[in-house]
Amino acid sequence: MAQQNQQQNHQQNQLVMEVDEPVPQTEQLRMDQTRNDAGGFVWVVDDMKRFRRFVVLGSETPTYNTDDRKLGRENAQSLLRLLKNGRGIEVVNEILKYSVEGRTAKLNPLILAFAICARLGDLKTKQRAYEVLDQICRIPTHLFLFVVNSKILSKPGSGWGKASRKAIKKWYTQKEAIKLAMDVTKYQKCEGWSHADIARVTHPMSDKPSIQCVLKYAVRGYEEMIASFPMSQDNTNELETLLNFFKAVEEIKKLTTKEEDRVVELIEGQNLVREHVPTGCLGSMKVWNALLKKMPMTAMMHNLNKMTSIGLLAEGSPQVKNVCDKLQNEDLLRNARIHPFNMLLALKTYESGKGEKGSLEWKANVEITKALEKAFYLSFKNVEPTGKSYMLAMDVSGSMQASECIGASTMKPHVASAAMAMMTARTEEHHEFVAFSHEIVPMKISSNMNLDEVLKICNEIPMGSTDCAQPMLYALYNNLKIDVFIVYTDSETYYGDVHPREALAKYRHHSGIHNAKLIVVAMTSNGFTIADPDDPGMLDIVGFDSAAPQVMREFILGNF
């Protein structure tokens, strides 16, 4: 078998070298090409696509980096050009769509783009931006980031105009009073700004006593609020509900572990959440038991480690049954829209018994581990197919099992690769799977396999040197029609006679799929890439965190 693969590898390389002479860059290959300043023919990436790239990636270069990077106007030049060319309303509508549909990997680029439209756009763009502010900035964290970016973008000495004040007033005054009360107590500060700071510059006001009550609390504090809105039999039910809620929020702040029974009463009586509970009480099993009863799916997953560490999720306990039932409830999983990779990351982190950051440690509960694994398989139903034809190529060199994924350190690169292979097999109709080192090995991965079965197939393939050109050469040699090549590697490539970029160019030319894409997922970042940064059909994923699958999907669908 090894001799047969080596022979095919040699034939693939020879094919690339012997096929028709490539069209020189000084000649037009297709009608949709244009001549650049140097005289070569290229494809133009229009400003709207570059803008979408910025919103999703945080930069206009085709690289998604798991590390947070400081953003600035210089990274959004395409957006500024769109505004200058009178396309501001179109841009705001695009931001709204991406926000509502949850299509961005990180929050900061989207909020920065929105602030640029609101502060630097023309009159109609500003009007449209402020019209939809409450739809894009849905929680206080979003609003705080918008205010911070707006201040940075504003000219020195300029204040908040009538339109901006009106929009922020709407954000505070158009909600249900109890929902606003939960928001201002759950999310109190961000980026050095508080609700009181925002109120001082925008002056939100309302004719509704209930909203006035919440604003008074957020800006002036509990004592002044209760002086203005005392408990009384004449209060409406809505106002009385608010006063009781704020009273509970203030009381719980002062309680200690010795008063855990009262903490539980307040949580259950007023639907308080973890953010309301003082840190000193978060070591109590009773407190976490009260929080768990109404905890949403995503919050529950994030807190499994803590609840296990304090002993709440002991084997055979009713709390474990509650958690396992939720994790295996298809309706809850679907409504939470949890991606399979996020579920796998939760599983591997829980199994590891220690957090990526901090000193928290726990002994994983076997029942919960099994429930998380089942939830991983059930969550594949949340992924919508793209309808594209895939080749998913997994580097099986030794280094893929020796290191950790950047951005997901609890997972080895070969495990993350196998998980994504499963996702493709279960959601896409047209797919090919190959393993590669210095040679290519087809893999039979079907939609009914579990993760261990996929890993077993990968582990049986002999390791070798890394040649990342192999997937494209294999597709060319076998006349396969592939829209997207996804290569999972550590980028430690040196073997072979053909550069990956040249292999893709040859494949595009001879297959007729001129927009065939290549995604290079560098599971570990060593500062190098095999993707051409000047090719709009190539995307770098530097490290692999929970946001990477969404970035890849947006790129595959041509949204940036």
Side-chain angles (χ1 to χ4, degrees):
M1 175 63 74
Q3 185 176 1
Q4 181 181 352
N5 287 335
Q6 289 175 2
Q7 183 179 2
Q8 180 174 323
N9 180 46
H10 175 72
Q11 290 172 336
Q12 290 171 179
N13 291 351
Q14 285 297 112
L15 175 64
V16 171
M17 295 177 183
E18 294 173 2
V19 287
D20 299 337
E21 286 295 321
V23 176
Q25 294 184 33
T26 53
E27 296 181 18
Q28 194 172 28
L29 181 64
R30 284 171 39 191
M31 293 300 293
D32 59 348
Q33 287 186 308
T34 185
R35 190 187 297 272
N36 63 19
D37 293 338
F41 281 90
V42 295
W43 284 274
V44 176
V45 180
D46 66 44
D47 278 337
M48 185 56 76
K49 284 189 176 180
R50 293 181 74 92
F51 161 68
R52 294 189 186 109
R53 181 186 290 170
F54 168 75
V55 168
V56 175
L57 301 179
S59 70
E60 292 188 19
T61 58
T63 301
Y64 171 69
N65 197 315
T66 60
D67 297 326
D68 287 328
R69 291 180 291 175
K70 187 175 181 179
L71 300 173
R73 288 169 59 175
E74 65 276 8
N75 284 330
Q77 292 302 308
S78 57
L79 168 56
L80 295 173
R81 287 192 296 271
L82 288 168
L83 295 180
K84 184 177 179 181
N85 293 330
R87 300 179 66 184
I89 293 178
E90 184 181 350
V91 169
V92 173
N93 290 338
E94 198 75 0
I95 293 171
L96 176 62
K97 180 171 69 173
Y98 271 62
S99 176
V100 171
E101 295 178 3
R103 290 164 59 180
T104 60
K106 305 290 184 182
L107 177 66
N108 285 7
L110 182 136
I111 298 296
L112 173 59
F114 183 57
I116 288 174
C117 291
R119 300 301 281 184
L120 304 181
D122 60 24
L123 179 60
K124 290 184 178 179
T125 299
K126 291 179 178 180
Q127 288 174 339
R128 177 57 179 161
Y130 289 126
E131 180 183 335
V132 298
L133 182 141
D134 59 330
Q135 298 177 58
I136 293 173
C137 301
R138 291 182 296 280
I139 62 174
T141 302
H142 303 167
L143 183 65
F144 289 137
L145 286 172
F146 171 74
V147 170
V148 168
N149 283 313
S150 295
K151 290 294 291 181
I152 293 172
L153 293 166
S154 299
K155 295 179 181 179
S158 63
W160 293 86
K162 182 178 179 180
S164 58
R165 291 198 302 272
K166 181 179 179 181
I168 293 177
K169 172 186 174 181
K170 177 184 174 185
W171 191 95
Y172 281 100
T173 60
Q174 297 301 308
K175 290 182 171 68
E176 291 185 14
I178 192 63
K179 172 66 168 59
L180 181 61
M182 177 63 75
D183 279 350
V184 301
T185 55
K186 184 178 179 181
Y187 310 96
Q188 297 182 34
K189 290 183 178 181
C190 181
E191 299 289 336
W193 280 74
S194 67
H195 296 286
D197 296 327
I198 292 178
R200 277 192 288 270
V201 295
T202 59
H203 311 294
M205 299 176 65
S206 173
D207 295 331
K208 300 177 181 178
S210 57
I211 298 296
Q212 290 175 5
C213 175
V214 179
L215 292 175
K216 178 71 78 169
Y217 175 87
V219 177
R220 296 295 184 181
Y222 181 72
E223 295 301 329
E224 287 198 32
M225 183 274 293
I226 203 67
S228 299
F229 298 91
M231 294 283 190
S232 170
Q233 293 181 347
D234 296 330
N235 288 336
T236 63
N237 289 337
E238 183 181 33
L239 189 55
E240 198 70 17
T241 297
L242 284 172
L243 294 174
N244 286 328
F245 175 80
F246 285 130
K247 182 180 179 182
V249 169
E250 291 300 307
E251 182 182 351
I252 202 171
K253 291 178 183 179
K254 303 171 185 176
L255 299 179
T256 66
T257 307
K258 295 179 181 179
E259 301 160 295
E260 61 182 10
D261 289 340
R262 180 56 180 162
V263 174
V264 169
E265 285 182 34
L266 293 173
I267 291 171
E268 294 179 343
Q270 295 297 328
N271 294 321
L272 302 186
V273 296
R274 185 189 62 81
E275 288 79 2
H276 293 127
V277 179
T279 304
C281 295
L282 290 177
S284 165
M285 288 176 56
K286 286 185 177 181
V287 169
W288 277 103
N289 184 49
L291 292 171
L292 176 61
K293 292 177 182 178
K294 295 184 180 181
M295 195 176 288
M297 174 68 77
T298 302
M300 185 186 76
M301 286 174 55
H302 289 163
N303 289 294
L304 284 177
N305 307 334
K306 177 66 177 180
M307 291 188 289
T308 301
S309 73
I310 64 171
L312 178 65
L313 301 181
E315 290 187 18
S317 68
Q319 290 84 2
V320 169
K321 183 179 185 305
N322 180 18
V323 166
C324 292
D325 287 346
K326 286 182 177 179
L327 286 172
Q328 296 170 92
N329 185 308
E330 291 188 48
D331 290 335
L332 291 178
L333 286 171
R334 183 172 54 254
N335 292 337
R337 298 173 64 187
I338 298 174
H339 191 280
F341 187 81
N342 291 10
M343 188 62 74
L344 180 64
L345 189 57
L347 168 61
K348 292 302 178 183
T349 300
Y350 187 74
E351 280 182 331
S352 73
K354 60 180 181 179
E356 184 173 352
K357 299 178 181 179
S359 58
L360 186 67
E361 293 185 358
W362 61 91
K363 183 180 179 182
N365 182 294
V366 176
E367 294 175 77
I368 293 175
T369 299
K370 290 180 179 179
L372 282 168
E373 184 175 3
K374 185 173 181 181
F376 167 60
Y377 298 118
L378 290 173
S379 62
F380 282 98
K381 296 181 180 180
N382 298 328
V383 180
E384 296 182 8
T386 65
K388 303 295 183 181
S389 176
Y390 286 75
M391 175 172 284
L392 195 136
M394 289 182 280
D395 181 350
V396 291
S397 59
S399 55
M400 289 289 282
Q401 297 190 31
S403 53
E404 299 176 340
C405 288
I406 298 297
S409 64
T410 56
M411 214 178 315
K412 298 294 185 183
H414 73 295
V415 175
S417 302
M420 295 303 294
M422 289 180 62
M423 189 189 76
T424 306
R426 291 186 178 218
T427 58
E428 301 291 349
E429 183 178 354
H430 307 291
H431 51 255
E432 298 278 345
F433 297 100
V434 297
F436 71 95
S437 52
H438 58 285
E439 59 186 19
I440 205 88
V441 180
M443 295 190 295
K444 297 295 183 182
I445 297 177
S446 63
S447 60
N448 58 356
M449 286 182 174
N450 62 34
L451 182 58
D452 288 338
E453 290 171 329
V454 174
L455 286 171
K456 184 175 185 295
I457 292 174
C458 296
N459 292 336
E460 289 175 349
I461 297 170
M463 298 178 185
S465 305
T466 305
D467 180 4
C468 292
Q470 285 297 314
M472 286 73 75
L473 299 181
Y474 178 80
L476 177 59
Y477 182 78
N478 290 282
N479 295 314
L480 301 177
K481 297 296 183 182
I482 304 296
D483 297 311
V484 185
F485 295 89
I486 305 180
V487 176
Y488 292 93
T489 180
D490 55 9
S491 294
E492 294 284 1
T493 179
Y494 65 93
Y495 194 91
D497 301 319
V498 183
H499 276 280
R501 177 192 177 281
E502 293 303 310
L504 179 63
K506 292 288 187 182
Y507 177 79
R508 287 170 172 168
H509 179 61
H510 292 283
S511 68
I513 305 177
H514 299 293
N515 62 346
K517 292 180 169 63
L518 169 62
I519 301 176
V520 182
V521 185
M523 313 300 287
T524 60
S525 176
N526 57 13
F528 301 97
T529 177
I530 62 170
D532 181 356
D534 295 324
D535 187 331
M538 294 189 187
L539 174 68
D540 263 327
I541 304 287
V542 184
F544 199 80
D545 65 357
S546 59
Q550 179 64 19
V551 172
M552 294 163 68
R553 176 180 172 80
E554 290 297 307
F555 177 73
I556 290 166
L557 291 174
N559 291 330
F560 67 88

